[in-house]
Amino acid sequence: MSLFKARDWWSTVLGEKEEFDQGCLCLADVDNSGNGQDKIIVGSFMGYLRIFNPHAVKTGDGPQAEDLLLEVQLRDPVLQVEVGKFVSGTEMLHLAVLHSRKLCVYSVSGTLGNVEHGNQYQIKLMYEHHLQRTACNMTYGPFGGIKGRDLICIQSMDGMLMVFEQESYAFGRFLPGSLLPGPLAYSPRTDSFITVSSCRQVESYKYQVLAFATDADKKQETEQQKLGSGKRLVVDWTLNIGEQALDICIIPFNQSASSVFVLGERNFFCLKDNGQIRFMKKLDCSPSCFLPYCSVSEGTINTLIGNHNHMLHVYQDVTLKWATQLPHVPVAVRVGSLHFPDYSQALPCPGCLCFSDLKGVIVTLSDDGHLQCSYLGTDPSLFQAPKVESRELNYDELDVELKELQRIIKDVKSQGVWPMTEREEDLKVFAVVSSSLDSVSQATNIEVGTDSVPSITVKITLQNRVVLQKVKLSVYVQPPLVLTCDQFTFDFAVPDMTSVAAFSVYLKKNYIPSELEGNAVVSYSRPTDRNPDGIPRVIQCKFRLPLKLICLPGQPSKTASQKLTIDTNKSPVSLPILFPDFASHSDDDQINVMGFRLLGGSRVTLLASRTSQRYRIQSEQFEDLWLITNELILRLLEYFEKQGIKDFACSFSGCIPLQEYFELIDHHFELRINGEKLEELLSERAVQFRAIQRRLLTRFRDKTPAPLQHLDTLLDGTYKQVIALADAVEENQDRLLQSSAGLRSATHLLILLVRLWQKLSADQTAILEAAFLPLQEDTQELGWEETVDAAIAHLLKTCLSKSSKEQALSLSSQLTIPKDTSRLKKHITLLCDRLAKGGRLCLSTDAAAPQALVMPDALHLWSSGHPNEILPAVLLDDQLRADR
């Protein structure tokens, strides 16, 4: 963001693998030298305490040995260091070091030597307090308006404020409703402590209120009171900021006013003494630390804010005045007065930096120990850009070059990046499905019931012509079919290599898939002269799994509720010839009838007519007819192709079974609605469960225990409801997946019947499949019903429209879950009606064929008055317009 970097005046790296935080840095004249120069005090979580007095002879010089005044290793991690008047009887500055279970106050003194590096510094422990609770942070100041000395307040991890009057412990009070400790600061003008609670609100507590809040029995000054068993406090004021706070700082404007600065996760706030917002600023980057200080301009405050993008921003109120780049992410920033040489390049930080024993050196510390003293400014650049040699342009040559480039671009657009034949030769993919099932089934964790689930091996062979790296093979099959392995990676280090990927396929659930086709997708990058990283390419190879993978021979059924009849133009073929893998040699009657038993439990019967050229498929479930019907047509085409007969054709002259199809749609939609309701109910119970947990936690933390009022019973009952609802959501999701597979099978069957009924071409069938079989997965946010309804409505508005008025109708641009399926069923019925009247599917409205006036017999499906019967075209058009 800035063109300038922070000018490094002095820097060093502290220790090895040590960690630091915002409380580990402090600047003060800790040795009471009286020369106005600050020393840098740094503590680490490894227990090291270091004091520096940097001296730089020249900008950019490294640290000198005499810069380190003192380095001692304490036994406990250092959480925070502060300098103040902490010892009674004197106003000298002393060093306070906060450990997790101890507070130590030291005096720092130095002994002069004969030379500069002969000076010796040492620390002396003045007193220490052992803490009964784990400390988090601390603040200090003249609590209660006392003059000439500073008191210390420590906040524990469980929200207790412990006040120490120098060598003695004063009192401890729990903050009301505290769960996690936040940053803590003291405001001398209002004599109050300011913190940010876990409720994401700034809270202010008067010191006098803390001091006078006593235990239940004021006379009993016991050890229990020292541990902090005080009663609840009354907060002075609160302000909800809506986010967690990183730090708090109090800056006085003058004797009559001060400001409270709060650094949040996304904003920083400036508050008045009474908690009103003076201003706030939304930050563009995630902050890591900040430091407000008084500005030269009257009535304004400058703020240094470091962020995780290695930047340090200087704001004057809410206006960005300067931005500089740091070599690390600062977790603590301070501004002090060090022994700084007078460099003419130095640009002062507004309001801080003045020359000759300068104030305003910016000291930053990172979490891994990078300590740096820097100033804001730039160094003069001595680089001068060389003169560019001017040359005259030959426009004729440029025109020739432009035409050649345009020709190359046109060739590339017409045939791809390289010719198709060359692309195919780079990598060839073949898929081979084993002719027999695996002798030992590879099926694991199956849910099919008592049937033994077979598996079959598929081998994908890859042959390369050129060197290819990181070739990835992904294999997809329709659920509930699963693969033993679906991802493979190959490296073809030399040309003309052959690699084989083998895997097994089996049925995992107790319902059948909608398709038996699998798809192997190979992705790779082919390097070119202009693109060494390679141009991404994808090759697909489809394979078909055998019917015996999900089906077993079964007994034919004489009665069934769902029946289909397929007409052909050739004499019927013996079923054992068409299905030799399902034929039984002991049964002579099987020539014209054959039974199939799906692994899910359903039975399908196939019959061939002896007198006519028809085949009948029947079952108890409509969706179970699809795979057998499709397999029958494919095997008939293959049989007559081997016989050299090319005019074989199938047709369908029966009733389009829309009623059965609509029942599957309603069942699928009902499961979607149930899933939505269950998720909403689960969310409500989860909110209730968390609310009860908070109530119980408050009761358990209370110093005066109160009855639970059956909250534990309510918590247990809510927990059982949450578990039951979660199980119900999972069960409904499994049923929805099964219903989606059945609906997809029925959709395939419906498209097949419409194609045979209207003799649709391959392009028209592809349009129909694109409308009824969307590629995206069925989810609560975007489901099958609204997607298909939008696609069919588009077809009715374009290629199947009857007039220009219908083409002018606007469709909704947002897909939302409908209230019911009536609109979708009307559109599907109208689509069949338009196709029956001669409408043809195409991608442009101009090519739409005129509508016929005669309705075929196949559309007289149900008796009058049926809710899903096909109505006259005029009435349906009126209903469509009303829906829209």
Side-chain angles (χ1 to χ4, degrees), residues 10 12 25 104 264 281 310 327 370 422 435 438 449 563 645 841 848:
W10 180 91
T12 185
L25 177 64
C104 301
K281 174 66 177 178
H310 300 259
H370 285 78
E422 182 181 353
S435 58
D438 296 338
K563 299 178 182 180
I645 300 174
L841 299 169

Side-chain angles (χ1 to χ4, degrees), residues 3-203:
L3 297 176
F4 304 124
K5 294 183 179 180
R7 311 310 301 169
D8 182 10
W9 174 67
W10 180 91
S11 62
T12 185
V13 179
L14 307 179
E16 295 183 359
K17 298 182 179 179
E18 295 188 43
E19 296 183 8
F20 304 83
D21 204 353
Q22 63 181 8
C24 297
L25 177 64
C26 180
L27 269 66
D29 186 16
V30 67
D31 59 342
N32 300 280
S33 62
N35 56 8
Q37 295 182 8
D38 292 332
K39 313 300 185 298
I40 302 176
I41 304 104
V42 182
S44 74
F45 290 164
M46 296 294 291
Y48 284 93
L49 179 67
R50 299 178 177 90
I51 302 178
F52 292 93
N53 186 22
H55 296 81
V57 179
K58 184 179 179 181
T59 301
D61 284 357
Q64 305 296 321
E66 61 270 16
D67 294 343
L68 181 60
L69 302 183
L70 179 68
E71 180 178 13
V72 294
Q73 183 177 12
L74 308 176
R75 289 184 297 178
D76 301 314
V78 177
L79 303 183
Q80 190 173 345
V81 289
E82 298 290 351
V83 175
K85 302 173 184 179
F86 301 136
V87 178
S88 60
T90 178
E91 293 189 6
M92 303 287 286
L93 298 179
H94 290 77
L95 174 64
V97 180
L98 179 64
H99 304 286
S100 58
R101 284 282 185 168
K102 184 169 60 174
L103 172 66
C104 301
V105 176
Y106 299 93
S107 67
V108 180
S109 59
T111 303
L112 296 178
N114 295 327
V115 292
E116 183 179 2
H117 60 267
N119 297 343
Q120 297 181 1
Y121 286 82
Q122 58 272 346
I123 60 173
K124 179 182 178 182
L125 179 64
M126 304 302 295
Y127 62 86
E128 65 179 5
H129 293 287
H130 291 277
L131 308 178
Q132 300 297 324
R133 299 179 181 274
T134 303
C136 176
N137 51 24
M138 68 175 176
T139 186
Y140 69 96
F143 302 163
I146 192 171
K147 296 183 179 180
R149 56 177 179 165
D150 293 323
L151 307 186
I152 298 176
C153 178
I154 299 176
Q155 182 178 206
S156 66
M157 293 298 292
D158 55 356
M160 178 182 178
L161 297 184
M162 298 172 284
V163 179
F164 295 89
E165 294 183 356
Q166 297 182 338
E167 291 87 349
S168 61
Y169 172 80
F171 57 85
R173 300 291 182 264
F174 275 98
L175 297 180
S178 175
L179 292 179
L180 295 173
L184 180 67
Y186 173 73
S187 175
R189 205 190 74 81
T190 59
D191 192 27
S192 57
F193 296 99
I194 299 174
T195 184
V196 178
S197 67
S198 55
C199 298
R200 300 183 176 183
Q201 61 183 9
V202 185
E203 300 177 351

